[in-house]
Amino acid sequence: MREGRRVLLQRAVTLFAVPAAMLMGPKAALATPQGAADHLRKLEAGDAVPGRISIDMADIAENGNAVPITIRVDSPMTEADHVQAIHVVAEGNPSPGVASFLFNPSSGRAEVKFRVRLAQSQRIVAVARMNDGSLRSAAREVKVALGGCGG
Amino acid sequence: MANDIKAKVRLPASIRKGDVVEVKTLVEHPMESGQRKDGAGSPIPRRILHSLRVTFGGREVFAARFEPAIASNPYLAFFVRIEQDGTLEFTWKDDDGSEFRFSQAVALG
């Protein structure tokens, strides 16, 4: 009797734990961490080291359709030392690319705020290219309550 | 055509020479990701604003490339160093081949 209830409970939990990806139908294959890394490699050659760049967003996003995100790089933005580009990828969306932003010393500050679609809970990765060619990266996990289904 | 596009650009009320100001932009656009299906089950084609270029006094100060992961009615805030009066010129490019331009005068004071 108790066993039966427990099994039923587990089934119910499984039923409700169907990831947003599956609700989107079989055609919506999702990106993977490897896919996101490959995408970044196409944008910037070389190895990125952590630091100087940060991703600011809520740990839990209620609605994956529009999740506010802020990305900033600690840089004086002078001719001698500035950020040239920031690339953002999502490891669990239908395709990994999110956006790229281009800066120069006239930008004054290497910081962008925007709203991203997230199909499911996943990791966001950002890579910044400095004017000396060095790459910096940051990653952030975000839990998504209701997937944006990329749409 | 991109005639259905509307943009709002907001700058600080008072800007002094040398200020690094936040430029907040909000565009009305579906940013159709290409992942959705209509009621009949056929895919809705992708149609997003895929790039933005911003110049001040004719010089590029910021640019962006967007993928379908950008939310509809895209909000984007970034910074620009303002050294003199001038005009911020925004050019968004749409998947449908059209361009949408917006100008914002900047006066020190």
Side-chain angles (χ1 to χ4, degrees):
Chain A
M1 182 78 177
R2 280 199 85 83
E3 281 296 305
R5 258 178 66 176
R6 182 53 47 91
V7 168
L8 213 67
L9 199 68
Q10 276 177 355
R11 277 192 189 145
V13 166
T14 315
L15 206 69
F16 284 109
V18 173
M22 286 182 67
L23 299 174
M24 292 161 67
K27 272 205 76 184
L30 293 177
T32 59
Q34 187 57 48
D38 292 346
H39 185 83
L40 276 173
R41 206 155 295 129
K42 274 186 268 173
L43 296 168
E44 298 290 351
D47 292 324
V49 286
R52 281 185 77 176
I53 180 169
S54 62
I55 302 172
D56 191 8
M57 66 194 305
D59 294 328
I60 300 172
E62 295 282 325
N63 180 356
N65 280 313
V67 184
I69 178 168
T70 300
I71 297 177
R72 67 175 67 89
V73 184
D74 178 21
S75 166
M77 294 303 279
T78 59
E79 285 293 339
D81 183 2
H82 61 269
V83 178
Q84 289 181 332
I86 295 175
H87 306 285
V88 186
V89 296
E91 292 186 343
N93 267 3
S95 63
V98 174
S100 293
F101 304 97
L102 306 179
F103 306 86
N104 60 50
S106 300
S107 308
R109 197 193 295 190
E111 177 176 327
V112 285
K113 297 173 189 159
F114 57 101
R115 295 192 287 235
V116 66
R117 288 176 173 136
L118 298 175
Q120 59 175 347
S121 298
Q122 55 181 292
R123 205 166 72 121
I124 308 298
V125 180
V127 168
R129 183 183 74 234
M130 309 299 175
N131 63 305
D132 66 1
S134 64
L135 302 176
R136 294 298 191 127
S137 72
R140 173 136 189 167
E141 296 278 351
V142 55
K143 293 219 182 307
V144 178
L146 179 66
C149 286
Chain B
M1 288 302 287
N3 293 333
D4 54 336
I5 296 178
K6 280 184 205 143
K8 280 183 195 159
V9 172
R10 187 161 288 181
L11 294 168
S14 156
I15 300 172
R16 287 162 301 173
K17 181 177 162 62
D19 279 357
V20 174
V21 303
E22 185 170 33
V23 182
K24 297 176 180 174
T25 68
L26 184 65
V27 186
E28 276 182 35
H29 192 285
M31 297 296 273
E32 192 61 61
S33 69
Q35 299 287 336
R36 295 199 309 157
K37 292 190 172 75
D38 63 17
S42 24
I44 304 172
R46 173 185 141 154
R47 188 202 151 198
I48 67 168
L49 296 171
H50 61 258
S51 72
L52 165 66
R53 183 169 185 262
V54 184
T55 62
F56 185 66
R59 254 194 88 196
E60 182 173 300
V61 290
F62 178 80
R65 281 196 306 271
F66 306 117
E67 302 284 345
I70 298 296
S72 57
N73 300 320
Y75 169 78
L76 174 66
F78 57 92
F79 289 83
V80 177
R81 190 191 306 275
I82 302 292
E83 297 286 356
Q84 63 204 31
D85 292 349
T87 304
L88 280 166
E89 303 269 6
F90 301 79
T91 307
W92 283 272
K93 286 191 176 169
D94 193 304
D95 277 348
D96 70 6
S98 62
E99 279 189 1
F100 175 65
R101 291 165 196 266
F102 188 88
S103 296
Q104 175 71 51
V106 180
L108 298 180

